[in-house]
Amino acid sequence: MVDVARLAGVSLKTVSRVVNGEPHVQRAMADRVLAAVAELGFQRNHMASALRAGRASATIGLIIEELANPFYSTIAHVTAEMARERDTLLLSASSEEDPVREEQLLRDLCSRRVDGLLVVPAGCDHSFLNSQVEMGIPVVFLDRPGTNIEADAVLLDNRGGARNGVRRLVADGHRRIGVLLDTVDVHTMRERLAGAQDALADAGIGYDGALVRGGVRDPATAAAAVADMLTQPSPPTAFLALNNRITVGAVQELWRRGSDAALVGFDDFELSHLMPRPLTVIGYDTRELARRATQLLFARIDGDRSRPRTVVLPTELLDRGLAPAR
Amino acid sequence: MVDVARLAGVSLKTVSRVVNGEPHVQRAMADRVLAAVAELGFQRNHMASALRAGRASATIGLIIEELANPFYSTIAHVTAEMARERDTLLLSASSEEDPVREEQLLRDLCSRRVDGLLVVPAGCDHSFLNSQVEMGIPVVFLDRPGTNIEADAVLLDNRGGARNGVRRLVADGHRRIGVLLDTVDVHTMRERLAGAQDALADAGIGYDGALVRGGVRDPATAAAAVADMLTQPSPPTAFLALNNRITVGAVQELWRRGSDAALVGFDDFELSHLMPRPLTVIGYDTRELARRATQLLFARIDGDRSRPRTVVLPTELLDRGLAPAR
DNA sequence: CGACGGCCGGACAACGTTGTCATACTCTCT
DNA sequence: AGAGAGTATGACAACGTTGTCCGGCCGTCG
């Protein structure tokens, strides 16, 4: 900017005024400045400009579990779109479900003075964010609530969804229902499992530990778990898969074996209606989830100081049948 | 930092030294500073620190077409992972195939002084980036080459892939092959179409405009195009879908109609092997694409000034059969 | 006992901007 | 003609850091 000022023969401040479109600059002088800007290829330094007077950085931070997962990339996309309307860019990072990494990333984002944070939490303690919130960086949690912190959250009705899924199976006469889940360390999984158990209890079906299989991390382990459970004495006649990766593995294994066990999966996914066997899923509106959370965040950024809210969005049973005809 | 210095009773510079882990600070004094840091909740301002002496912003910019598309979100994920190893974060934005928007986003990223840019180009003129490259912001193009600019590019062998796909159809006896594509405005589509025509010419099959259908933007229009082409006189006996969204629409429509037309799709996608009818696809290693591009970018950031390179990665025909048994 | 080198701490300027204030000039109105 | 208002421009400080340099203290060696 100093160079531009020198070349145009004006003061630094005049260049600043022209570059920012402020009034009170004579036409001729503005033209001279613009010519110098063009000649030198000058470009305003956004960081310096944000630094001065602590203005907003026009950036928001997004922490998700894994960007390559369609659920999270949809969230990232919706948020980025909404941000763009405010000339704000999105800094996104994956926690990979690692609490340590999550904290590092969050601290990094804070030290970059993002205008706000959108977090799908992996950790079990977010108290370190309290000071950031006080210092003016609002946080909205997405999909799962934060822990040890009072902040907005936009969640899904995981418990109700799983309950409806199991009800559907029970209504079809199933009594031995295998439940496949990742880990109860994750809030969503705990809720979904609780919902499944609600429905079983409602139906007067007792708890059978052999029918609940944890530690199912991906399609391959899901397939293995299904195979194992089906070869036990008195195998399940139906399965509830508590996320989409598990569902995919289960579909694949049931199909491979030609099994007619029933299957309901949590999370809809693209092409789920094209699976080689009927598949009923518990779906929800991922875009709406992201939309609500982003709205809430921008409201906070714009100064909304009301009490933290928790929004719970409904799920929907997409009934496409349960099992292949015998 | 001034406040911390005052509270600890030391100078500004000493606080800076402690915060940055520089040597030559007495233990007792460092402890006092750390106590003050903790008490005030001080956090280093990354922007100010980068501003001083024009250091790197530890940020790279990624422009893709649409973050919600698995192809692009995989790229974003791989890049973000590699960036994290260098304590660098990813600013990602979607151009939505809009050249104007692409240019705006790129200029914005430059004004934020990102360390480098990774671009899946939508526009048809990237000459405005030349000055940025000269000023030290390296650019690597991904999936498609940049225009009017000498820069690195990591591409796929689109032409060869499409050629192999059509060859496979021809080998099975097909002579009337419908080609479904988005728009020839996009480099990849042009190349894929050219590859298809190469193979047809090699087989001595003349060009028939009625068999090439452009403007197919999404699964719904793909389904409509398939339906339309199948109801024309002398319909195609096979289809080549030039991207995964088109493939999905085509699968769906062919399945719905119970058609036994053959189908080859460009781009592999998750669950493609679980489609309700055989589906042969032209696949490639998206992660490798992203990996190579990111490597190249970091090499440039680290000062590699060698001539711009263009890397072309191979595709692979994943032959899973062509059509349901009659 | 004085010189020297290593360690430690601080003053100051600079990074690229912009807000604040001061100044000089041009009108218009009494 | 002088006051008052408004416009156009510039000087300067400040945003939060860190690099440079300088000086004081300590111990050691000739």
Side-chain angles (χ1 to χ4, degrees):
Chain A
M1 213 148 146
V2 174
D3 297 339
V4 173
R6 190 158 32 217
L7 181 59
V10 299
S11 83
L12 201 55
K13 181 64 203 184
T14 299
V15 177
S16 172
R17 272 195 267 260
V18 172
V19 168
N20 290 293
E22 285 174 35
H24 306 312
V25 178
Q26 273 187 355
R27 191 54 173 278
M29 192 150 298
D31 287 346
R32 246 167 48 219
V33 170
L34 289 175
V37 163
E39 174 160 349
L40 296 177
F42 166 82
Q43 191 157 28
R44 198 158 140 276
N45 183 325
H46 184 275
M47 292 196 313
S49 140
L51 176 60
R52 165 74 223 223
R55 245 222 314 289
S57 63
T59 312
I60 61 177
L62 173 70
I63 301 280
I64 56 191
E65 188 189 329
E66 198 216 324
L67 198 45
N69 180 320
F71 173 64
Y72 297 110
S73 67
T74 300
I75 291 172
H77 186 241
V78 169
T79 301
E81 282 311 290
M82 292 177 68
R84 207 192 68 91
E85 286 165 20
R86 302 172 50 120
D87 290 313
T88 293
L89 289 183
L90 188 67
L91 263 177
S92 48
S94 304
S95 68
E96 309 284 341
E97 288 286 6
D98 177 350
V100 175
R101 192 164 152 180
E102 179 190 58
E103 182 168 341
Q104 284 171 353
L105 289 169
L106 282 168
R107 286 189 189 277
D108 191 351
L109 288 170
C110 289
S111 88
R112 286 163 194 256
R113 300 294 189 268
V114 292
D115 300 337
L117 286 168
L118 227 38
V119 183
V120 178
C124 41
D125 178 25
H126 298 93
S127 53
F128 67 96
L129 282 177
N130 276 307
S131 60
Q132 303 298 334
V133 174
E134 275 167 34
M135 292 174 67
I137 302 188
V139 181
V140 173
F141 290 95
L142 199 57
D143 189 48
R144 315 167 192 170
T147 317
N148 299 332
I149 181 171
E150 272 223 14
D152 297 307
V154 181
L155 312 174
L156 295 171
D157 180 18
N158 289 294
R159 191 159 184 165
R163 193 156 41 208
N164 287 339
V166 169
R167 269 194 200 141
R168 174 69 179 81
L169 289 167
V170 167
D172 235 43
H174 292 282
R175 288 293 174 272
R176 297 191 56 75
I177 300 174
V179 180
L180 304 167
L181 65 147
D182 187 348
T183 162
V184 287
D185 292 349
V186 179
H187 179 264
T188 38
M189 282 291 149
R190 273 200 304 278
E191 288 290 303
R192 291 174 187 184
L193 182 57
Q197 288 170 339
D198 287 350
L200 290 172
D202 288 351
I205 301 173
Y207 174 78
D208 180 350
L211 289 175
V212 176
R213 190 64 64 96
V216 183
R217 268 173 307 280
D218 51 43
T221 44
V226 167
D228 182 58
M229 290 170 85
L230 284 179
T231 50
Q232 300 289 326
S234 64
T237 62
F239 288 92
L240 176 69
L242 289 187
N243 74 28
N244 53 6
R245 285 165 305 172
I246 298 173
T247 305
V248 166
V251 167
Q252 215 161 336
E253 181 63 16
L254 291 174
W255 171 243
R256 201 180 65 75
R257 306 173 76 88
S259 165
D260 61 356
L263 178 62
V264 169
F266 213 112
D267 303 330
D268 194 9
F269 51 92
E270 210 195 345
L271 308 184
S272 65
H273 59 290
L274 285 181
M275 289 294 97
R277 42 162 287 150
L279 175 59
T280 287
V281 296
I282 301 150
Y284 45 84
D285 189 344
T286 308
R287 301 179 61 88
E288 178 68 8
L289 180 73
R291 213 175 290 128
R292 296 290 289 272
T294 309
Q295 265 169 9
L296 214 44
L297 184 65
F298 282 134
R300 295 297 179 190
I301 291 175
D302 291 339
D304 179 349
R305 293 276 169 275
S306 57
R307 281 202 55 232
R309 263 165 289 178
T310 294
V311 177
V312 177
L313 299 178
T315 63
E316 184 188 6
L317 191 73
L318 301 170
D319 196 332
R320 305 201 188 103
L322 291 178
R326 269 174 205 267
Chain B
M1 213 148 146
V2 174
D3 298 338
V4 172
R6 189 159 32 219
L7 180 60
V10 299
S11 83
L12 200 56
K13 181 65 200 182
T14 299
V15 177
S16 170
R17 272 195 268 260
V18 171
V19 168
N20 291 291
E22 286 175 35
H24 306 312
V25 178
Q26 274 188 358
R27 191 53 173 278
M29 192 150 298
D31 288 345
R32 249 171 42 222
V33 170
L34 289 175
V37 164
E39 174 160 351
L40 297 177
F42 166 82
Q43 192 157 27
R44 199 159 140 275
N45 183 325
H46 185 275
M47 292 196 313
S49 138
L51 177 60
R52 163 75 221 220
R55 246 221 314 292
S57 62
T59 312
I60 61 177
L62 173 70
I63 301 281
I64 56 192
E65 188 190 329
E66 197 215 324
L67 198 45
N69 179 320
F71 173 65
Y72 297 109
S73 67
T74 300
I75 291 172
H77 187 240
V78 169
T79 301
E81 281 311 289
M82 292 177 68
R84 205 193 68 92
E85 286 166 21
R86 301 172 51 120
D87 290 313
T88 294
L89 289 183
L90 188 66
L91 264 178
S92 48
S94 304
S95 68
E96 308 285 340
E97 289 287 5
D98 177 350
V100 174
R101 189 162 154 182
E102 179 189 59
E103 183 169 340
Q104 284 171 352
L105 290 169
L106 282 168
R107 285 189 191 278
D108 190 352
L109 288 171
C110 289
S111 87
R112 286 163 194 256
R113 299 294 189 270
V114 293
D115 300 337
L117 286 168
L118 227 39
V119 183
V120 177
C124 41
D125 178 26
H126 298 93
S127 53
F128 68 95
L129 282 177
N130 277 307
S131 60
Q132 303 298 334
V133 174
E134 275 167 34
M135 290 174 67
I137 302 188
V139 181
V140 173
F141 290 96
L142 200 57
D143 189 48
R144 315 167 192 170
T147 317
N148 299 332
I149 181 170
E150 271 224 13
D152 296 307
V154 181
L155 312 174
L156 295 172
D157 180 19
N158 289 293
R159 190 158 184 166
R163 194 155 41 206
N164 287 339
V166 170
R167 269 193 199 142
R168 174 70 178 82
L169 289 168
V170 168
D172 235 44
H174 291 282
R175 288 293 174 271
R176 296 192 56 75
I177 301 173
V179 179
L180 304 167
L181 65 146
D182 187 348
T183 161
V184 287
D185 292 349
V186 179
H187 177 264
T188 37
M189 282 292 149
R190 273 201 303 278
E191 288 290 302
R192 291 174 187 183
L193 181 57
Q197 288 170 338
D198 288 350
L200 289 173
D202 288 352
I205 301 173
Y207 175 77
D208 180 351
L211 289 175
V212 176
R213 190 64 64 97
V216 182
R217 268 173 306 281
D218 49 44
T221 44
V226 166
D228 181 57
M229 290 171 84
L230 283 179
T231 51
Q232 299 289 324
S234 63
T237 63
F239 288 92
L240 176 70
L242 288 187
N243 75 27
N244 53 5
R245 286 167 303 170
I246 298 173
T247 305
V248 166
V251 167
Q252 216 160 334
E253 181 63 16
L254 291 174
W255 171 243
R256 202 179 65 76
R257 305 173 77 88
S259 164
D260 60 356
L263 177 63
V264 169
F266 212 112
D267 304 329
D268 194 10
F269 51 92
E270 211 195 346
L271 308 184
S272 64
H273 60 290
L274 284 182
M275 288 295 97
R277 41 162 288 149
L279 175 59
T280 287
V281 297
I282 301 152
Y284 45 83
D285 189 342
T286 308
R287 301 179 62 87
E288 178 68 7
L289 180 74
R291 212 176 291 130
R292 296 290 289 271
T294 310
Q295 264 169 11
L296 215 42
L297 183 66
F298 282 135
R300 296 295 180 190
I301 291 174
D302 292 339
D304 180 350
R305 293 276 170 276
S306 58
R307 281 202 53 232
R309 264 165 288 179
T310 294
V311 177
V312 177
L313 299 178
T315 62
E316 185 187 4
L317 191 74
L318 301 170
D319 195 334
R320 306 201 187 104
L322 291 179
R326 269 174 204 266

